[in-house]
């Protein structure tokens, strides 16, 4: 996710105006007639039932040994989940890219000559973990528990991981991602992880995938291999002149990446940071023009150009309004919006700079004119209007942005273009986020060797100089942005300490006032042996926290998808989340969800207030103390859920096929 120099003020209530008629001009051929329905299931209230006295079998179970012998919550069902995942990825029946959109099955054909299937890498064999006793208290501290524990079902042990799916034969595609971020070389937020993981998934399915990025001076060059000049004299028209660029090629962990380096006194990408500058809109408008120019001049005609967020949303506009006339008619564009809070608002100058000109044409409300500020152009809106398909990063967020006032003014545009709009939940890259092979944690572990997690917990405590005791560790990892629920986070720190937990926070903000606020908090809690706040960005430390913490807090105001809860699940760290966006789509409350027991994987609250937060966090901490074996089963459920790119990768391919066939 990216910062935007023109933060958009959110009105208290955003009126959702649904235009009575679609705009007269639809500049791009729109996908067909399939109506799209974004499913929304209202959170279900499960009646509170008090179990008969002494009915909780786990209360009678010994905290540890019994654990190893009694199969727990929903193990069989996870096996069937795996089977379901396999079915979804294995045949034309899974071809609908999104609920409600019917997509014809992909024809069986030989790969096109342009496609060079990527070699499939086999992950390094997991290092055996040292099995140790879990560090749950033998006699837990008496913490009253507010809700009854769910009764687990005995079940047979399933295979720990879903079997690899067999994918249908389909024509290979040439796909180019154009993006401002990609992990680990240029990472600010989840967008970076998405490009890294999705591009890999598309490549291992036999597609030819390339990625175009700006050549920032602060790229993690230690992750780029064989970097070399590949296109020396790329002249990119800019205002009345042109800027000379060099294009480099290099591999980032097998991904084929092109880096565009402009040589001009603007120093667009030599500023030590990815975002945070007054001219960010111009910087990325330039990058968009340069990327399109590069594709054109290098004679690349991808089947699919996949753009990300407002920073590259100008590309479909340029392709249709400029490059199509030059003969570049082949590519179809998919735009993924990772966060509607940042849209890239700017003035007419951008049209002159990029060579689009014709302000009267582009300021039309059916094109780029912002829906709220009539004198502003809105790049993200342009991306929605001109792309062949628009996705956001979870079905719930797609619904919230179109129908629940979360679109930051773009609701009418989403309604107009609803036929080509939907949500796909992000995956995480299991080559990177996987406790079985993670080189950044001291002891590797998996669902069948879960005790290794407690060694990581000890290592985390040692690293952060926390007391070694029987307490659970409640963690937060994320940007310190109001979106992430900072006031609730602050409350949660004190609440957790009061309830006998330890707290670890890793986060930073580009806003110095927010950072200073958390530095103040850090100083206040400095003497506590149970609390460590790390203000900064530290990828390596984040791995240790995911592995060592027991509970991960994600109390967001809004959350398009959220990767922290997905990564936490993979590491058996129980998420406590607010029920919004992708959090609602991926975390199911242990006590109140309408999902089957084996799918429940965390704690969820609805209301953005202190009692709401406490209702979930309190239950999580209480379960840890009072029902360690239940907590452990919850960890296993979490670790078994498949949030890899397997399913979303197939969803994106279905979308690509759909827009190619139109
Ligand atoms: P967003 O995209 O809104 O920032 P996500 O939850 O989608 O949030 O993705 C956040 C990603 O960035 C995760 O991979 C998380 O681990 C990582 N991250 C966020 N803040 C930090 C930090 N301070 N140090 C290390 N990693 C961080």
């Amino acid at each position: 996710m990216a910062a935007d120099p023109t933060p958009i003020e959110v009105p208290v209530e955003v009126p959702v105006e649904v235009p009575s008629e679609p705009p007269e001009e639809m500049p791009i051929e729109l996908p067909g007639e399939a109506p799209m329905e974004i499913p929304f299931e209202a959170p279900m209230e499960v009646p509170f039932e008090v179990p008969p006295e002494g009915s909780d079998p786990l209360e009678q179970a010994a905290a540890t040994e019994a654990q190893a012998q009694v199969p727990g919550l929903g193990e069989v069902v996870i096996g069937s989940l795996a089977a379901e995942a396999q079915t979804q990825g294995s045949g034309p029946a899974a071809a609908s890219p999104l609920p409600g959109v019917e997509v014809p099955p992909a024809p069986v054909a030989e790969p096109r000559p342009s496609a060079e299937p990527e070699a499939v890498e086999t992950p390094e064999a997991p290092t055996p973990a040292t099995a140790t006793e879990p560090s749950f208290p033998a006699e837990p501290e008496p913490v009253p528990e507010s809700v009854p524990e769910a009764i687990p079902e005995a079940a047979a042990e399933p295979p720990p991981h879903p079997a690899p799916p067999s994918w249908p034969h389909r024509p290979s595609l040439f796909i180019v991602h154009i993006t401002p971020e990609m992990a680990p070389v240029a990472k600010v937020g989840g967008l970076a992880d998405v490009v890294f993981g999705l591009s890999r998934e598309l490549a291992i399915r036999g597609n030819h995938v390339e990625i175009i990025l700006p050549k920032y001076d602060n790229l993690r060059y230690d992750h780029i291999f064989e970097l070399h000049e590949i296109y020396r004299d790329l002249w990119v028209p800019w205002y009345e002149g042109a800027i000379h660029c060099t294009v480099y090629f290099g591999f980032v962990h097998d991904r084929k990446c092109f880096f565009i380096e402009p040589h001009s006194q603007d120093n667009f990408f030599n500023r030590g940071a990815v975002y945070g500058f007054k001219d960010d809109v111009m910087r990325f408008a330039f990058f968009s023009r340069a990327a399109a120019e590069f594709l054109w001049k290098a004679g690349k005609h991808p089947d699919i150009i996949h753009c990300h967020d407002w920073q590259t949303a100008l590309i479909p506009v340029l392709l249709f309004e400029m490059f199509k006339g030059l003969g570049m008619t082949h590519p179809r564009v998919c735009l993924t919006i990772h966060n509607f809070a940042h849209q890239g608002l700017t003035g007419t100058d951008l049209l002159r700079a990029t060579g689009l000109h014709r302000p009267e044409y582009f300021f039309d409300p059916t094109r780029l004119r912002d829906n709220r500020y009539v004198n502003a152009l809105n790049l993200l809106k342009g991306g929605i209007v001109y792309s062949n398909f628009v996705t956001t990063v979870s079905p719930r967020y797609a619904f919230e942005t179109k129908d629940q006032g979360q679109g930051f003014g773009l609701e009418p545009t989403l309604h107009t273009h609803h036929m080509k709009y939907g949500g796909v939940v992000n995956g995480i890259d299991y080559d990177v986020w996987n406790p079985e092979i993670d080189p950044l944690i001291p002891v590797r572990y998996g669902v069948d060797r879960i005790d290794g997690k407690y060694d990581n917990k000890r290592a985390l405590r040692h690293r952060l100089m926390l007391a070694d005791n029987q307490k659970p560790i409640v963690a937060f990892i994320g940007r310190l942005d109001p979106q992430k629920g900072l006031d609730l986070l602050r409350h949660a720190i004190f609440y957790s300490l009061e309830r006998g937990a330890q707290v670890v926070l890793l986060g930073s903000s580009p806003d110095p006032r927010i950072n200073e606020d958390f530095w103040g908090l850090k100083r206040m809690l400095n003497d506590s042996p149970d609390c460590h706040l790390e203000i900064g960005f530290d990828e390596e430390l984040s791995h240790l926290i995911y592995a060592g913490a027991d509970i991960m807090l994600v109390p967001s105001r809004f959350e398009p998808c959220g990767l922290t809860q997905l990564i936490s699940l993979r590491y058996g760290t129980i998420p406590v989340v607010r029920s919004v966006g992708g959090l609602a789509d991926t975390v199911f409350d242990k006590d109140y969800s309408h999902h089957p027991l084996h799918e429940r994987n965390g704690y969820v609250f609805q209301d953005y207030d202190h009692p709401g937060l406490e209702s979930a966090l309190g239950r999580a901490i209480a379960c840890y103390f009072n029902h360690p074996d239940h907590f452990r089963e919850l960890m296993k459920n979490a670790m078994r859920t498949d949030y890899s790119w397997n399913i979303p990768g197939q969803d994106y391919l279905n979308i690509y096929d759909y827009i190619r066939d139109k």
Side-chain angles (χ1 to χ4, degrees):
M1 209 294 320
D4 186 326
T6 47
I8 296 159
E9 281 176 22
V10 194
V12 178
E13 271 187 289
V14 181
V16 180
E17 286 170 23
V18 183
S20 51
E21 287 180 27
E24 283 169 21
E25 257 181 288
M26 291 290 185
I28 297 264
E29 294 174 54
L30 296 176
E33 293 153 32
M36 178 165 309
E37 277 174 32
I38 309 293
F40 172 65
E41 288 171 22
M44 201 164 113
E45 294 273 326
V46 174
F48 184 91
E49 276 176 29
V50 182
E53 192 127 332
S55 67
D56 188 343
L58 294 173
E59 271 178 7
Q60 297 147 21
T64 51
E65 286 93 326
Q67 196 63 52
Q69 290 154 19
V70 182
L73 289 177
E75 290 168 340
V76 159
V77 200
I78 292 290
S80 75
L81 247 194
E84 192 182 305
Q86 207 170 343
T87 325
Q88 285 198 32
S90 66
S96 175
L98 294 160
V101 178
E102 281 180 24
V103 179
V108 177
E110 287 304 307
R112 293 176 199 180
S114 65
E116 304 164 11
E118 293 268 331
V120 181
E121 272 189 12
T122 320
E124 175 194 333
T127 308
T130 327
T132 54
E133 285 299 304
S135 61
F136 291 117
E139 286 194 16
E141 289 174 37
V143 178
E145 193 166 17
S146 53
V147 291
E149 294 297 314
I151 299 169
E153 289 163 351
E157 189 73 35
H161 300 294
S166 59
W167 298 305
H169 281 290
R170 45 180 303 288
S172 157
L173 295 172
F174 176 18
I175 301 159
V176 174
H177 284 269
I178 306 181
T179 174
E181 297 181 34
M182 189 183 78
V185 290
K187 173 166 169 174
V188 176
L191 158 59
D193 294 300
V194 168
V195 175
F196 187 77
L198 176 58
S199 56
R200 164 77 161 182
E201 182 70 26
L202 297 170
I204 62 176
R205 288 165 184 247
N207 300 286
H208 181 92
V209 184
E210 295 178 356
I211 298 152
I212 303 180
L213 287 148
K215 189 166 180 294
Y216 302 107
D217 58 350
N218 62 333
L219 285 172
R220 288 280 304 261
Y221 284 95
D222 52 327
H223 288 274
I224 308 178
F225 303 92
E226 298 177 32
L227 186 66
H228 61 277
E229 273 183 20
I230 199 159
Y231 201 102
R232 188 163 293 173
D233 291 316
L234 179 71
W235 288 93
V236 179
W238 193 241
Y239 289 101
E240 282 70 40
I243 292 180
H244 178 225
C245 298
T246 307
V247 182
Y248 293 79
F249 176 84
F251 291 97
V252 176
H253 302 280
D254 285 342
R255 283 112 182 128
K256 302 181 179 77
C257 297
F258 294 88
F259 300 94
I260 299 181
E261 180 182 57
H263 309 289
S264 92
Q265 59 201 21
D266 294 307
N267 271 326
F268 283 136
F269 306 122
N270 293 334
R271 302 185 185 182
V274 172
Y275 309 119
F277 306 98
K278 281 202 185 97
D279 60 345
D280 275 358
V281 176
M282 280 303 186
R283 293 169 68 225
F284 289 101
F286 176 81
F287 170 61
S288 299
R289 176 78 212 249
E293 203 73 23
F294 171 59
L295 289 177
W296 166 240
K297 292 196 172 139
K300 289 176 180 285
H301 294 277
D303 298 305
I304 298 293
I305 296 178
H306 195 147
C307 301
H308 297 270
D309 272 349
W310 69 267
Q311 295 91 325
T312 56
L314 195 62
I315 285 170
V317 183
L318 290 165
L319 289 177
F320 185 81
E321 297 289 355
M322 196 178 274
F323 289 87
K324 195 175 170 191
L326 297 171
M328 200 167 171
T329 54
H330 185 70
R332 296 285 183 275
V333 183
C334 176
L335 169 71
T336 295
I337 301 174
H338 299 256
N339 194 329
F340 275 79
H342 309 285
Q343 300 183 358
L345 297 195
T346 185
T348 30
D349 209 27
L350 174 127
L351 298 173
R352 208 160 60 81
T354 54
L356 286 167
H357 302 296
R358 295 187 292 162
E360 63 299 335
Y361 176 79
F362 286 107
F363 266 96
D364 188 277
T366 64
R367 295 193 183 87
L368 268 70
R369 192 178 86 184
D370 185 67
N371 295 342
R372 294 187 294 189
Y373 305 99
V374 292
N375 294 323
L377 289 171
N378 184 322
L379 299 193
L380 195 62
K381 177 175 171 179
I384 295 170
V385 172
Y386 281 81
S387 293
N388 298 94
F389 209 94
V390 181
T391 67
T392 190
V393 289
S394 67
R396 178 68 73 99
Y397 191 58
F399 169 73
E400 290 171 348
T401 48
K402 187 164 71 71
D403 295 312
Q404 299 272 290
Q406 294 279 319
F408 290 89
L410 286 176
E411 293 84 352
T413 311
L414 293 175
H415 269 273
T416 302
H417 296 278
H418 71 99
M419 299 277 282
K420 57 171 185 176
Y421 178 56
V424 177
V425 173
N426 287 335
I428 52 170
D429 190 329
Y430 279 12
D431 283 350
V432 176
W433 299 110
N434 184 353
E436 291 177 3
I437 55 169
D438 191 337
L440 297 173
I441 60 176
V443 177
R444 288 148 199 189
Y445 63 98
V447 70
D448 48 344
R449 305 177 266 130
I450 213 164
D451 291 341
K453 186 164 172 63
Y454 305 108
D455 296 322
N456 291 297
K457 184 171 181 177
R458 272 187 283 281
L460 176 64
R461 282 177 164 152
H462 183 71
R463 163 121 183 229
L464 302 181
M465 291 188 288
L466 292 174
D468 200 3
N469 51 32
Q470 309 279 298
K471 298 179 176 185
I473 297 181
V474 177
F476 171 90
I477 299 176
R479 291 177 301 115
L480 297 177
D481 183 290
Q483 172 201 334
K484 300 290 176 186
L486 298 185
D487 40 348
L488 285 194
L489 177 60
R490 197 184 165 89
H491 178 69
I493 292 172
F494 292 101
Y495 178 76
S496 303
L497 293 171
E498 239 172 61
R499 294 294 298 264
Q502 294 186 317
V503 173
V504 169
L505 175 146
L506 171 62
S508 64
S509 167
D511 181 343
R513 285 166 307 178
I514 295 179
N515 268 341
E516 192 39 52
D517 201 28
F518 276 85
W519 271 106
L521 205 55
K522 184 179 166 76
R523 282 190 290 270
M524 184 194 296
L525 294 166
N526 211 20
D527 294 334
S528 168
D530 288 325
C531 183
H532 183 96
L533 311 186
E534 185 77 21
I535 319 295
F537 188 95
D538 188 335
E539 182 86 19
E540 283 76 18
L541 177 59
S542 77
H543 283 248
L544 183 58
I545 297 175
Y546 284 119
D550 300 288
I551 294 168
M552 181 64 67
L553 191 59
V554 196
S556 304
R557 280 182 186 276
F558 69 94
E559 193 59 73
C561 177
L563 294 180
T564 40
Q565 86 280 9
L566 299 184
I567 301 170
S568 299
L569 289 168
R570 185 73 180 137
Y571 283 75
T573 304
I574 298 305
V576 172
V577 308
R578 178 146 178 267
S579 179
V580 285
L583 300 172
D585 284 334
T586 55
V587 181
F588 310 115
D589 192 276
K590 172 179 177 296
D591 303 309
Y592 295 123
S593 170
H594 60 277
H595 281 253
L597 288 178
H598 66 277
E599 287 179 12
R600 301 183 191 182
N601 54 13
Y603 291 87
V604 179
F605 64 99
Q606 305 285 336
D607 296 335
Y608 190 88
D609 53 25
H610 291 181
L613 171 98
E614 290 172 13
S615 72
L617 185 53
R619 282 186 293 128
I621 295 173
C623 180
Y624 179 92
F625 280 126
N626 298 342
H627 298 280
D629 36 8
H630 283 202
F631 197 87
R632 200 173 158 102
E633 292 308 319
L634 206 55
M635 290 163 68
K636 288 185 180 174
N637 282 357
M639 294 179 81
R640 286 195 189 108
T641 318
D642 181 7
Y643 283 117
S644 69
W645 275 102
N646 176 25
I647 294 168
Q650 185 61 48
D651 287 342
Y652 275 109
L653 281 174
N654 293 340
I655 290 170
Y656 298 162
D657 287 342
Y658 177 65
I659 57 181
R660 278 251 47 100
D661 287 345
K662 283 281 140 195

